[in-house]
């Protein structure tokens, strides 16, 4: 991805506002790993077969290379959190990459009611602004740069009128976080040019950045903010925290770490592991259903437990063969 390009035709990533990513190490005080996107959306089928020729040059391989570098530099990392709510396409790709690297994929927001998510974000102190819009009821010149808290009435209205998603899961809008509880050192301020002062009294957007209209469609216009310059405004107590180191990851992704196994082998191992774990807590394991779909093995284990242990339970797990 060229640094001068604001928006890629990506099935996987948000790229509008990418220049501000460099500030996240300063904002959080945590190490920041980043990688330039070299691949494209080549393999667009739902399942993502890590290690097969079909995914060579795919943009997801950039994610795999990035997370492999994180694991190499920080062996204590055991899991990856994503904000997926409705997209199986994105969730399954994160899960496939995590499975290959021996990580756990955590999607805490998965299938949560979007209205609840919007209210929770605002109540939790997440100050995020719209930096891209592409939906009926949203106008680039009117709504870009406005916060989610300000936009709630509008987002609920267009959800009712046009069937959109108030959290933007249908691509209606994209956001950039200016502040949140994770930003322990400071908050982000967007600027139109490098001039400006880093004072706590300064507004979140010192001067309006350029609005780029990508489609003047009269019904559903689209556009984004050209976020080229920004500043980090230190919070009270933030000066005592060191900024996080920024590490650029380059080079090709590593060879797949997991050897391919047949569905029966995976299923047999899953059944054995489930039975051992169940026995330890007094759970009686019933039927184990193993199915393979385009390289992804899914198994469903039905189990029941004595009343003293738990009620009837069902556990579903997935593994890329």
């Amino acid at each position: 991805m060229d640094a001068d390009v604001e928006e890629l035709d990506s099935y996987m990533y948000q790229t509008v506002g990418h220049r501000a990513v460099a500030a996240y190490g300063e904002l959080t005080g945590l190490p920041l790993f980043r990688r330039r996107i070299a691949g494209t959306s080549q393999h667009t089928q739902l399942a993502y077969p890590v290690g097969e020729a079909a995914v060579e040059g795919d943009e997801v391989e950039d994610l795999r290379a990035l997370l492999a570098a994180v694991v190499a530099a920080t062996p204590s990392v055991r899991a990856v959190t994503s904000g997926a709510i409705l997209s199986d396409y994105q969730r399954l790709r994160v899960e496939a990459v995590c499975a290959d690297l021996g990580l756990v994929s955590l999607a805490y927001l998965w299938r949560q009611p979007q209205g609840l998510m919007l209210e929770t974000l605002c109540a939790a102190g997440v100050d995020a602004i719209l930096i891209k819009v592409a939906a009926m009821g949203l106008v680039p010149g009117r709504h870009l740069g406005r916060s989610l808290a300000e936009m709630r009435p509008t987002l609920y209205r267009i959800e009712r009128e046009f069937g959109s998603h108030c959290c933007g899961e249908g691509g209606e809008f994209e956001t950039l976080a200016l502040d949140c509880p994770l930003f322990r050192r400071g908050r982000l301020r967007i600027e139109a040019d490098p001039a400006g002062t880093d004072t706590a009294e300064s507004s979140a957007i010192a001067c309006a950045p350029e609005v780029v209209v990508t489609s003047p469609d009269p019904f559903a216009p689209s556009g984004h903010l050209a976020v080229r310059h920004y500043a980090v405004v230190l919070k009270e107590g933030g000066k005592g925290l060191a900024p996080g180191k920024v590490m650029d990851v380059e080079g090709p992704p590593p060879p797949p770490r997991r050897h391919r196994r047949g569905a029966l082998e995976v299923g047999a191992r899953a059944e054995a592991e489930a039975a051992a774990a169940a026995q330890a807590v007094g759970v009686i394991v019933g039927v184990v259903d193993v199915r393979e779909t385009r390289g992804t093995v899914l198994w469903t284990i039905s189990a029941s437990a004595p009343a003293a242990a738990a009620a009837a339970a069902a556990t579903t797990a997935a593994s890329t063969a």
Side-chain angles (χ1 to χ4, degrees):
M1 177 179 179
D2 192 315
D4 294 329
V5 175
E6 278 286 333
E7 186 175 17
L8 289 181
D9 184 16
S10 171
Y11 283 38
M12 190 71 185
Y13 308 118
Q14 171 184 327
T15 57
V16 173
H18 69 86
R19 294 180 182 88
V21 170
Y24 277 40
E26 292 185 66
L27 295 167
T28 63
L30 300 172
L32 172 70
F33 292 79
R34 63 180 182 178
R35 176 183 172 88
R36 190 181 299 275
I37 300 172
T40 58
S41 303
Q42 292 193 6
H43 185 80
T44 57
Q45 297 179 20
L46 190 59
Y48 189 81
V50 173
E52 292 190 0
V55 303
E56 290 183 10
D58 192 275
E59 60 185 353
V60 177
E61 292 303 287
D62 292 303
L63 175 63
R64 196 163 67 87
L66 179 69
L67 290 180
V70 172
V71 172
T74 316
S76 60
V77 170
R78 292 287 183 268
V80 172
T81 301
S82 66
I85 299 177
L86 282 179
S87 174
D88 283 307
Y89 182 94
Q90 295 174 345
R91 177 182 60 84
L92 290 173
R93 276 154 174 71
V94 173
E95 289 178 354
V97 168
C98 287
D100 178 65
L101 298 176
L103 299 169
V104 176
S105 174
L106 303 174
Y108 294 111
L109 307 184
W110 185 247
R111 297 289 181 179
Q112 293 295 316
Q114 292 192 43
L116 173 63
M117 291 296 95
L118 182 57
E119 295 298 325
T120 301
L121 283 170
C122 294
V126 176
D127 180 15
I129 60 169
L130 272 62
I131 59 171
K132 177 185 173 181
V133 295
M136 295 181 69
L138 295 177
V139 181
R142 184 187 311 162
H143 297 126
L144 288 174
R146 296 182 62 181
S147 70
L148 281 178
E150 292 178 277
M151 289 295 296
R152 275 184 294 178
T154 300
L155 296 177
Y156 288 141
R157 177 180 59 79
I158 65 174
E159 183 178 58
R160 292 192 304 270
E161 293 181 0
F162 306 118
S164 59
H165 300 82
C166 63
C167 274
E169 277 297 287
E172 294 86 351
F173 62 88
E174 293 176 351
T175 60
L176 177 66
L178 303 181
D179 198 5
C180 68
L182 186 62
F183 292 179
R184 300 176 300 165
R185 291 191 74 251
R187 56 186 175 83
L188 189 67
R189 188 184 66 212
I190 305 303
E191 298 181 335
D193 55 59
T197 56
D198 294 349
T199 62
E201 294 75 24
S202 300
S203 63
I205 301 182
C207 336
E210 178 188 1
V211 173
V212 179
V213 177
T214 51
S215 172
D217 185 276
F219 300 103
S222 63
H224 62 265
L225 288 182
V227 181
R228 299 189 180 95
H229 305 291
Y230 56 85
V232 173
V233 181
L234 291 180
K235 295 180 178 179
E236 184 177 353
K239 293 181 180 179
L241 297 173
K245 183 180 179 182
V246 178
M247 287 159 279
D248 289 308
V249 176
E250 299 178 349
R257 294 179 57 185
R258 303 182 65 204
H259 69 280
R260 297 189 58 78
R261 301 184 300 272
L264 292 178
E265 180 185 346
V266 173
R269 193 185 67 146
E271 183 175 2
E273 291 178 354
Q279 184 177 8
V281 294
V283 175
I284 303 172
V285 175
V287 178
V288 177
D289 180 31
V290 182
R291 301 180 185 180
E292 181 173 11
T293 304
R294 296 184 180 182
T296 299
V297 176
L298 304 175
W299 61 87
T300 302
I301 304 171
S302 301
S304 61
T315 302
T316 303
S319 173
T320 302

